[in-house]
Each structure stands twice: as C-alpha cells, then as structure tokens.
Amino acid sequence: MPIPVRDTFDSDRADLKIQVTDDGSRTLVRTGTSDSFHSGCGALSETEHVYIKNSGVLDRLRHRRPTRVLEVGLGTAMGLIATLSHAIDHDCELEYVAVETDWVSASIVRMLRPYQWTKHHVLVDRFLAYRDSLSTAVAPGSYPWTFDSKRRVRIEIVDVLRWKPKDTRPFDAIYFDPFCPENAPELWTPDCFKHMRSLIDSGGSLTTYSCSRPVRDALEAGGWNVTRVPGPAGGKREVLVANPGEPSPL
C-alpha cells in the first residue's frame, strides 16, 4: 500500500501531502479530494509505461527522431524530467510543452526526491533552479526553459480548454494526465478531446491512465481511434492509447 509520509506542507499548500508509492517513488495527493498525481502502485513506473513507452515517444527518441510532446497536467514534473532524461540518453531533439494551472514550487518537488527519476542530476538541478527563479505562485502565461540546444521546454499556465498555441506545428504525442473525470469532468469531454485531436500529428498518439467506458466514448466522439492496452506491472490492468481518426466534418 502507498505510504503517506507528510500530512501537509506549509499553510499555503495545506491541500497537498506526499505519498511513497509501491515502486519507492514519491507523488503528491490532494487532501481535499484524495486525487493522486500518480498511481499509488508506482509513480515512476506509471509515467514510464503509460506515457513515455505507450505514446511511442521512447521509440522515437531511441531512433533519434526529433519529437514534440504535449503534456496536459504537468503535476510534479516527473513526466517532463523522465522524458528529457531519455532524450539526453539518446542525444535526440525534444520539444516539450506542458499545460498546467497550478505549478507546484521547487521546494515541494525537492521533497519528492526527483534525483531518483533520472541519472542526469544536472537536469534536475537546472529545472529546480529555473522554478526557483519564478514566484511561488506563478501567474498565467508562457514560461520557456532551455536545457540545452537540443532540449527545449515551455510551461503554459492556462486552462487547456482556453489554450490556443501560437506554434501550430503538430505534436507527436500527448500525455493526457489531468485529475480524474469525477473531479475534473470538463477535461474528459468530447470537446476537450476534439481540441487535443486538432493538435496531434497524423501519426501521433494520445495516452492516458483512465480506461473507463465514458472516457473511451468521449475520445471516440472527439475523433480518436481508441485501444485498450496492458497497464504497468502491479498497476491498472488496462490503460488507453488513442490515435487520430479521420477529421470530423465541419
């Protein structure tokens, strides 16, 4: 069972607590709703399997194919750091865009032991230094960060339903990782998935941890072909991979 290690943070983040998940990696849980930022069966295992592997991103990076990733729900930045780590391993170009409304502070991320997420500790150092350079509560806007000439990041602090990217190049993968449909229902609708469909390359994939029938139906209504695939070892039995179908008629 996941182990809670801290009930709350300081008064300004009393809504969060840390959990140690089954693979030893740490995540956050919202105290008001019990929403977990990652699976209690293994935060890092879920990130690697559900998003980086299932989306095809890992295969692209291994073959040194320049890759654009969109993450809906930056959360703890585990997905960002783990994906960048693979891009560094394979010396591959990566552009990573994450859309978030509540960017947690560097001090909270440090308590999650992010050096366990990658062997490239300089990556963690630089990311945390960048986050430290901003205010604790980040105002809506676009925040670019460059790790090096081949790896570039942009954090968009905005409601994804209102986000209109200035760069219209399609993404190769979408990590769809907002809070659960019960607590963020507006992000699991056909309209939201149609928006995601407009952002993806014809050969790209959207991956998500949810496998419920309503989510599958909403994805299909949004123009996606949906497949259930095995979940991570010790975690959910099935998760979803979606590929863009034919564009919906205007």
Side-chain angles (χ1 to χ4, degrees):
M1 293 288 293
I3 304 168
V5 296
R6 181 168 179 167
D7 289 337
T8 59
F9 293 96
D10 296 334
S11 59
D12 62 331
R13 292 314 318 238
D15 60 318
L16 298 176
K17 63 181 178 181
I18 292 175
Q19 237 179 28
V20 179
T21 66
D22 289 350
D23 66 0
S25 59
R26 296 182 170 203
T27 191
L28 296 171
V29 176
R30 293 203 304 188
T31 57
T33 63
S34 296
D35 274 329
S36 177
F37 283 56
H38 299 96
S39 169
C41 297
L44 186 58
S45 299
E46 176 192 53
T47 297
E48 291 280 356
H49 180 91
V50 176
Y51 299 106
I52 300 174
K53 178 185 175 184
N54 283 358
S55 65
V57 166
L58 182 57
D59 188 61
R60 290 181 63 91
L61 297 177
R62 284 173 172 167
H63 288 88
R64 302 184 68 182
R65 298 172 62 192
T67 298
R68 295 191 84 223
V69 174
L70 170 64
E71 181 177 26
V72 178
L74 174 67
T76 65
M78 179 182 284
L80 165 62
I81 289 173
T83 304
L84 279 167
S85 182
H86 286 293
I88 296 167
D89 286 342
H90 301 291
D91 192 28
C92 185
E93 291 186 25
L94 174 70
E95 183 174 0
Y96 197 104
V97 179
V99 180
E100 179 60 84
T101 56
D102 182 16
W103 190 358
V104 298
S105 68
S107 62
I108 290 177
V109 175
R110 286 188 180 93
M111 296 192 68
L112 302 178
R113 300 182 179 174
Y115 294 103
Q116 296 178 346
W117 306 344
T118 173
K119 64 185 178 185
H120 302 289
H121 290 180
V122 66
L123 167 59
V124 177
D125 288 339
R126 292 183 186 175
F127 176 77
L128 293 176
Y130 177 65
R131 181 64 184 89
D132 271 331
S133 72
L134 307 172
S135 61
T136 299
V138 181
S142 183
Y143 297 86
W145 173 61
T146 300
F147 175 72
D148 59 23
S149 62
K150 289 187 175 182
R151 269 68 62 167
R152 299 170 301 280
V153 174
R154 192 167 70 256
I155 311 297
E156 301 282 357
I157 305 301
V158 64
D159 180 345
V160 70
L161 296 174
R162 296 184 174 88
W163 179 54
K164 295 181 179 179
K166 295 179 180 178
D167 188 340
T168 59
R169 289 176 299 147
F171 290 94
D172 300 297
I174 297 175
Y175 300 168
F176 196 79
D177 193 24
F179 288 119
C180 68
E182 291 75 18
N183 292 322
E186 69 282 2
L187 299 180
W188 300 86
T189 64
D191 284 345
C192 185
F193 288 127
K194 285 178 184 177
H195 183 36
M196 296 296 101
R197 173 67 180 78
S198 72
L199 302 174
I200 197 75
D201 183 78
S202 60
S205 296
L206 178 150
T207 53
T208 187
Y209 63 88
S210 179
C211 198
S212 71
R213 181 78 246 184
V215 169
R216 302 200 309 268
D217 290 344
L219 276 162
E220 289 174 352
W224 296 87
N225 297 319
V226 184
T227 304
R228 288 179 288 180
V229 299
K236 298 186 70 172
R237 185 169 62 89
E238 293 181 323
V239 294
L240 295 183
V241 175
N243 302 105
E246 292 297 321
S248 300
L250 297 177

